[in-house]
Amino acid sequence: MPWMKKVGACALMLAVAGCSTSPTGRSQLTLMSESDLSQMGAQAFAQYQQELPTVGGSQLNYVQCVTTAVVNVLPPEQRQQNWQVKVFESEDANAFALPGGYVGVNTGLLDVATNQDQLATVIGHEIGHVLAHHANERASTESATQLGMSVVGAALGSQGIAGSDQMMAAMGMGAQYGILLPFSRSHESEADTIGLNLMAEAGFDPQASIALWQNMSNAGGGQPPEWMSTHPSHGSRIAGLEADMANANSLYQQAQSAGRSPNCKAP
């Protein structure tokens, strides 16, 4: 069919324009410039500060200490960024890192991550998203999916194919559950791996990552079925971390031998 050729040509152009590789060797589609992403990161960070009050003192010093230890083992390009850290007053056990060098941690997370090693698990994971250009890949994948559906929709309409509206609705559901959500789950699992290695290289005990996700599970909060979620289940995350633990323990031992042993005082 002629419209199939159009879709194929579109997919080929996107693949050629934005082909890259993640830190774990996975092929990626990255169509946005890093300068644009850094600008978006700065805007999002500023907006977050407008929406939630920030906290200073011992809590900020603690989060800054853990973040600095992780940043110190990043590749030179990322390490030399002017990383900014904020602690936000919120009961949600959450944290984030944004392109451009921005880290935010909610006070609620400090109740779940009970020591520096568990906090490093989360901060390493969030910075792992930045290292792997997941924001770029996510936005690029959504743009490519929308473009492909637009081309197909226009082609179906021009051909006068009966039931084209129902076909487009089905394709939309297929894109959501077959492409976008699984892609996000793969990002989370990849960030777990990258973050585990980062925390270990920084001198934090990688075994604490298991305890952190056990704490997360015990903290409650229902999860949708894994196939409908943007995040793996807690059990899947723990299994993945355990599978990567041997390499992380080796990195941790090397860090200890090199004298990297953070001592960040919990508030």
Short mmCIF file of all heavy atoms in Angstrom, two decimals, residues 14 29-33 36-37 40 99 133-147 180 183-184 187:
data_model
loop_
_atom_site.label_atom_id
_atom_site.label_comp_id
_atom_site.label_asym_id
_atom_site.label_seq_id
_atom_site.Cartn_x
_atom_site.Cartn_y
_atom_site.Cartn_z
N LEU A 14 13.60 9.25 10.69
CA LEU A 14 13.74 9.47 12.13
C LEU A 14 14.90 8.66 12.69
O LEU A 14 15.67 9.14 13.52
CB LEU A 14 12.44 9.11 12.85
CG LEU A 14 11.27 10.08 12.67
CD1 LEU A 14 10.01 9.50 13.28
CD2 LEU A 14 11.57 11.44 13.27
N LEU A 29 16.47 6.60 20.30
CA LEU A 29 16.05 7.64 19.37
C LEU A 29 16.08 8.96 20.13
O LEU A 29 15.30 9.18 21.06
CB LEU A 29 14.63 7.38 18.85
CG LEU A 29 14.06 8.42 17.88
CD1 LEU A 29 14.83 8.39 16.56
CD2 LEU A 29 12.58 8.18 17.63
N THR A 30 17.02 9.85 19.79
CA THR A 30 17.18 11.13 20.49
C THR A 30 17.20 12.24 19.44
O THR A 30 18.20 12.42 18.75
CB THR A 30 18.47 11.15 21.32
OG1 THR A 30 19.57 10.71 20.52
CG2 THR A 30 18.35 10.21 22.52
N LEU A 31 16.10 12.98 19.37
CA LEU A 31 15.93 13.99 18.33
C LEU A 31 16.14 15.41 18.84
O LEU A 31 16.30 16.32 18.05
CB LEU A 31 14.51 13.88 17.73
CG LEU A 31 14.13 12.53 17.13
CD1 LEU A 31 12.67 12.53 16.71
CD2 LEU A 31 15.03 12.19 15.95
N MET A 32 16.13 15.62 20.16
CA MET A 32 16.23 16.96 20.72
C MET A 32 17.68 17.30 21.05
O MET A 32 18.49 16.42 21.35
CB MET A 32 15.38 17.07 21.98
CG MET A 32 13.90 16.80 21.75
SD MET A 32 12.92 17.01 23.26
CE MET A 32 13.09 18.79 23.52
N SER A 33 18.01 18.59 21.01
CA SER A 33 19.36 19.03 21.34
C SER A 33 19.52 19.09 22.86
O SER A 33 18.56 19.35 23.59
CB SER A 33 19.64 20.41 20.73
OG SER A 33 18.90 21.42 21.40
N ASP A 36 18.54 22.48 24.35
CA ASP A 36 17.09 22.64 24.54
C ASP A 36 16.63 21.91 25.80
O ASP A 36 15.81 22.43 26.57
CB ASP A 36 16.33 22.12 23.33
CG ASP A 36 16.42 23.05 22.13
OD1 ASP A 36 16.82 24.21 22.31
OD2 ASP A 36 16.13 22.59 21.00
N LEU A 37 17.17 20.71 26.01
CA LEU A 37 16.78 19.94 27.19
C LEU A 37 17.25 20.61 28.47
O LEU A 37 16.53 20.63 29.48
CB LEU A 37 17.35 18.53 27.09
CG LEU A 37 16.65 17.59 26.12
CD1 LEU A 37 17.49 16.34 25.89
CD2 LEU A 37 15.27 17.20 26.63
N MET A 40 14.90 23.38 29.20
CA MET A 40 13.65 22.84 29.74
C MET A 40 13.84 22.40 31.19
O MET A 40 12.94 22.57 32.03
CB MET A 40 13.19 21.67 28.87
CG MET A 40 12.74 22.08 27.48
SD MET A 40 12.49 20.66 26.38
CE MET A 40 11.15 19.81 27.23
N PRO A 99 17.85 17.40 33.17
CA PRO A 99 18.94 17.81 32.28
C PRO A 99 19.40 19.22 32.62
O PRO A 99 18.58 20.09 32.93
CB PRO A 99 18.30 17.75 30.89
CG PRO A 99 17.19 16.76 31.01
CD PRO A 99 16.66 16.94 32.41
N HIS A 133 20.06 10.10 29.00
CA HIS A 133 19.28 10.95 28.09
C HIS A 133 17.84 10.45 27.95
O HIS A 133 17.26 10.49 26.86
CB HIS A 133 19.95 11.02 26.71
CG HIS A 133 21.39 11.42 26.74
ND1 HIS A 133 21.80 12.68 27.07
CD2 HIS A 133 22.52 10.69 26.50
CE1 HIS A 133 23.14 12.74 27.02
NE2 HIS A 133 23.59 11.55 26.70
N HIS A 134 17.27 10.00 29.05
CA HIS A 134 15.92 9.44 28.99
C HIS A 134 14.87 10.50 28.67
O HIS A 134 13.87 10.19 28.00
CB HIS A 134 15.59 8.74 30.31
CG HIS A 134 16.29 7.44 30.47
ND1 HIS A 134 16.43 6.80 31.70
CD2 HIS A 134 16.91 6.64 29.57
CE1 HIS A 134 17.10 5.67 31.53
NE2 HIS A 134 17.40 5.55 30.26
N ALA A 135 15.06 11.73 29.14
CA ALA A 135 14.09 12.79 28.81
C ALA A 135 14.06 13.03 27.31
O ALA A 135 12.99 13.18 26.71
CB ALA A 135 14.45 14.07 29.55
N ASN A 136 15.25 13.05 26.70
CA ASN A 136 15.34 13.22 25.25
C ASN A 136 14.67 12.05 24.53
O ASN A 136 13.86 12.24 23.61
CB ASN A 136 16.82 13.31 24.86
CG ASN A 136 17.02 13.78 23.43
OD1 ASN A 136 16.17 13.62 22.57
ND2 ASN A 136 18.17 14.36 23.17
N GLU A 137 14.97 10.86 24.99
CA GLU A 137 14.43 9.67 24.33
C GLU A 137 12.92 9.58 24.49
O GLU A 137 12.20 9.22 23.54
CB GLU A 137 15.10 8.42 24.92
CG GLU A 137 14.79 7.14 24.18
CD GLU A 137 15.53 5.95 24.76
OE1 GLU A 137 16.19 6.10 25.81
OE2 GLU A 137 15.44 4.87 24.17
N ARG A 138 12.43 9.92 25.66
CA ARG A 138 10.99 9.87 25.91
C ARG A 138 10.25 10.85 24.99
O ARG A 138 9.27 10.48 24.34
CB ARG A 138 10.73 10.20 27.38
CG ARG A 138 9.27 10.27 27.77
CD ARG A 138 8.66 8.90 27.89
NE ARG A 138 7.32 8.96 28.45
CZ ARG A 138 6.52 7.92 28.57
NH1 ARG A 138 6.94 6.74 28.17
NH2 ARG A 138 5.33 8.05 29.08
N ALA A 139 10.73 12.09 24.97
CA ALA A 139 10.09 13.11 24.14
C ALA A 139 10.20 12.74 22.66
O ALA A 139 9.24 12.92 21.89
CB ALA A 139 10.74 14.47 24.39
N SER A 140 11.34 12.19 22.25
CA SER A 140 11.54 11.83 20.85
C SER A 140 10.63 10.67 20.46
O SER A 140 10.06 10.66 19.36
CB SER A 140 13.00 11.44 20.62
OG SER A 140 13.87 12.52 20.90
N THR A 141 10.48 9.69 21.35
CA THR A 141 9.62 8.55 21.06
C THR A 141 8.17 8.97 20.93
O THR A 141 7.45 8.53 20.03
CB THR A 141 9.76 7.49 22.16
OG1 THR A 141 11.12 7.08 22.25
CG2 THR A 141 8.90 6.27 21.84
N GLU A 142 7.71 9.85 21.84
CA GLU A 142 6.34 10.32 21.77
C GLU A 142 6.10 11.12 20.49
O GLU A 142 5.07 10.97 19.83
CB GLU A 142 6.01 11.16 23.00
CG GLU A 142 5.94 10.34 24.28
CD GLU A 142 5.53 11.17 25.49
OE1 GLU A 142 5.41 12.40 25.33
OE2 GLU A 142 5.34 10.58 26.56
N SER A 143 7.07 11.97 20.12
CA SER A 143 6.93 12.75 18.89
C SER A 143 6.89 11.85 17.67
O SER A 143 6.06 12.05 16.77
CB SER A 143 8.10 13.74 18.77
OG SER A 143 8.08 14.68 19.81
N ALA A 144 7.77 10.85 17.64
CA ALA A 144 7.80 9.93 16.50
C ALA A 144 6.51 9.11 16.41
O ALA A 144 5.98 8.87 15.32
CB ALA A 144 9.01 9.00 16.62
N THR A 145 5.99 8.70 17.58
CA THR A 145 4.74 7.93 17.59
C THR A 145 3.58 8.77 17.07
O THR A 145 2.78 8.32 16.26
CB THR A 145 4.44 7.43 19.02
OG1 THR A 145 5.53 6.62 19.47
CG2 THR A 145 3.16 6.61 19.05
N GLN A 146 3.50 10.01 17.56
CA GLN A 146 2.43 10.90 17.12
C GLN A 146 2.54 11.20 15.62
O GLN A 146 1.53 11.23 14.91
CB GLN A 146 2.47 12.20 17.92
CG GLN A 146 2.09 12.03 19.38
CD GLN A 146 2.36 13.26 20.21
OE1 GLN A 146 2.82 14.28 19.70
NE2 GLN A 146 2.07 13.18 21.50
N LEU A 147 3.76 11.40 15.15
CA LEU A 147 3.96 11.66 13.73
C LEU A 147 3.53 10.46 12.90
O LEU A 147 2.84 10.59 11.88
CB LEU A 147 5.43 11.99 13.45
CG LEU A 147 5.81 12.24 11.98
CD1 LEU A 147 5.00 13.39 11.40
CD2 LEU A 147 7.30 12.53 11.87
N LEU A 180 4.93 3.28 24.52
CA LEU A 180 5.31 4.34 25.43
C LEU A 180 5.49 3.86 26.87
O LEU A 180 6.49 4.17 27.51
CB LEU A 180 4.27 5.47 25.39
CG LEU A 180 4.09 6.11 24.01
CD1 LEU A 180 3.06 7.22 24.07
CD2 LEU A 180 5.42 6.67 23.49
N PHE A 183 8.46 1.48 27.18
CA PHE A 183 9.68 2.25 27.02
C PHE A 183 10.05 2.92 28.33
O PHE A 183 11.19 2.94 28.74
CB PHE A 183 9.48 3.31 25.93
CG PHE A 183 10.55 3.33 24.90
CD1 PHE A 183 10.71 2.27 24.03
CD2 PHE A 183 11.42 4.40 24.81
CE1 PHE A 183 11.71 2.28 23.08
CE2 PHE A 183 12.43 4.42 23.86
CZ PHE A 183 12.57 3.35 22.98
N SER A 184 9.05 3.47 29.03
CA SER A 184 9.32 4.11 30.30
C SER A 184 9.79 3.09 31.35
O SER A 184 10.67 3.38 32.14
CB SER A 184 8.07 4.83 30.80
OG SER A 184 8.35 5.56 31.97
N HIS A 187 13.34 2.49 30.82
CA HIS A 187 14.13 3.59 31.34
C HIS A 187 14.36 3.43 32.83
O HIS A 187 15.47 3.65 33.33
CB HIS A 187 13.41 4.92 31.09
CG HIS A 187 13.40 5.35 29.66
ND1 HIS A 187 12.72 6.46 29.22
CD2 HIS A 187 14.01 4.83 28.57
CE1 HIS A 187 12.90 6.61 27.93
NE2 HIS A 187 13.67 5.63 27.51
#
